[in-house]
Amino acid sequence: MSEAEVDRLFQAFSDATRRDIVRRVTVGEYSVSGLAALYAMSFAAVQKHVAVLVRASLVTKEKRGREQIVRGNHEGLDKARRLLDEYEAIWRQRAERIADILAEG
Amino acid sequence: MSEAEVDRLFQAFSDATRRDIVRRVTVGEYSVSGLAALYAMSFAAVQKHVAVLVRASLVTKEKRGREQIVRGNHEGLDKARRLLDEYEAIWRQRAERIADILAEG
DNA sequence: GTATTCTACAACCAAATGGTTGTAGATCAG
DNA sequence: CTGATCTACAACCATTTGGTTGTAGAATAC
């Protein structure tokens, strides 16, 4: 996973609206306009948030009739999960090591 | 943990230089100029990156003589760890549920 | 057919980002 | 005291971000 990919991932998560979109589309199916109806902002603004999530490989868009269905991207979400798990593990180790050092003194 | 805090956390992690700074200062001690020497950018630029990490509660700065020592902020890092762990858990659940749904069909 | 709905995309705007240089204050070394 | 070092901060710049409105094309409804 390249540094640029990681950049895009964290950047995509750095907005509450986008985090909410990810939560919703990993459970159910939403069209872009279906999502747009949920937030106090324009359709175009939501469209842009979805585009950011697509670029970060967290969601996919699939055309169905005149609608565009947004779904969680399993592969991307799993990559994200593994990345966060890795970070979590590294920091847990470090926290333990620091605790040990403090215990020595 | 407020949405704004989560925003700042992910935003802080969305830059490779900042992720590297966090890695380093959770292990050892670095002055701001010590960090600045590591990257192909100006001292002021690194100063700004450190400021972003301070705002996100991931590192602290402590004055020692004429230097400013940057260290990992245990509390902030632990909050981040727990947050990522939570996300990781949610997504693992969802991945399992999706797998079940696919298995049914 | 016409009207409506859903989407895409451009243009625009204000604010934030990520970088720069330059100036000035503190601290330390000699 | 003088000079070097470390830091802070302001000013500036280009680009990105997060939002807006408006226009136009495709698909559906009637």
Side-chain angles (χ1 to χ4, degrees):
Chain A
M1 199 167 184
S2 73
E3 288 296 277
E5 273 184 286
V6 180
D7 283 9
R8 274 192 295 262
L9 241 174
F10 280 119
Q11 202 269 329
F13 281 130
S14 72
D15 181 279
T17 303
R18 285 196 293 264
R19 287 193 300 273
D20 193 63
I21 291 176
V22 170
R23 269 179 232 120
R24 290 176 184 273
V25 303
T26 50
V27 174
E29 266 192 12
Y30 286 85
S31 67
V32 179
S33 53
L35 286 171
L38 301 170
Y39 309 105
M41 68 182 73
S42 70
F43 172 82
V46 175
Q47 225 178 359
K48 283 191 185 181
H49 281 306
V50 171
V52 171
L53 293 170
V54 170
R55 255 187 296 138
S57 302
L58 288 170
V59 308
T60 59
K61 280 198 306 187
E62 191 183 338
K63 199 168 182 177
R64 193 172 66 189
R66 71 182 145 186
E67 290 185 329
Q68 198 83 250
I69 305 300
V70 182
R71 291 200 189 83
N73 179 345
H74 289 200
E75 197 180 338
L77 286 167
D78 209 56
K79 263 190 180 181
R81 189 184 62 71
R82 282 197 302 268
L83 178 75
L84 298 189
D85 197 37
E86 215 175 285
Y87 268 81
E88 198 271 335
I90 289 165
W91 292 341
R92 193 179 45 232
Q93 278 185 357
R94 285 184 182 167
E96 281 164 14
R97 185 149 40 133
I98 288 160
D100 289 349
I101 289 162
L102 291 176
E104 284 170 22
Chain B
M1 200 165 183
S2 74
E3 288 296 277
E5 274 183 286
V6 180
D7 284 9
R8 274 191 296 262
L9 241 173
F10 280 119
Q11 202 269 330
F13 282 129
S14 72
D15 181 280
T17 302
R18 284 195 293 264
R19 288 193 299 275
D20 193 62
I21 291 175
V22 170
R23 268 180 233 120
R24 289 176 185 273
V25 302
T26 49
V27 175
E29 267 191 11
Y30 285 84
S31 67
V32 179
S33 54
L35 287 171
L38 301 169
Y39 309 105
M41 66 183 74
S42 70
F43 172 82
V46 174
Q47 227 178 358
K48 284 191 185 181
H49 281 305
V50 171
V52 170
L53 293 171
V54 170
R55 257 187 295 140
S57 302
L58 288 170
V59 307
T60 58
K61 280 198 308 187
E62 191 183 337
K63 199 167 181 177
R64 195 172 65 190
R66 72 183 146 184
E67 290 184 329
Q68 198 83 251
I69 304 299
V70 182
R71 291 200 188 84
N73 179 346
H74 289 199
E75 198 180 338
L77 286 166
D78 208 57
K79 264 191 178 180
R81 188 183 62 72
R82 282 197 301 268
L83 178 77
L84 299 189
D85 196 38
E86 216 174 283
Y87 268 82
E88 197 272 335
I90 290 166
W91 292 341
R92 194 179 44 232
Q93 278 185 358
R94 285 185 182 165
E96 280 165 13
R97 186 149 40 134
I98 287 160
D100 288 351
I101 290 163
L102 292 176
E104 284 170 22

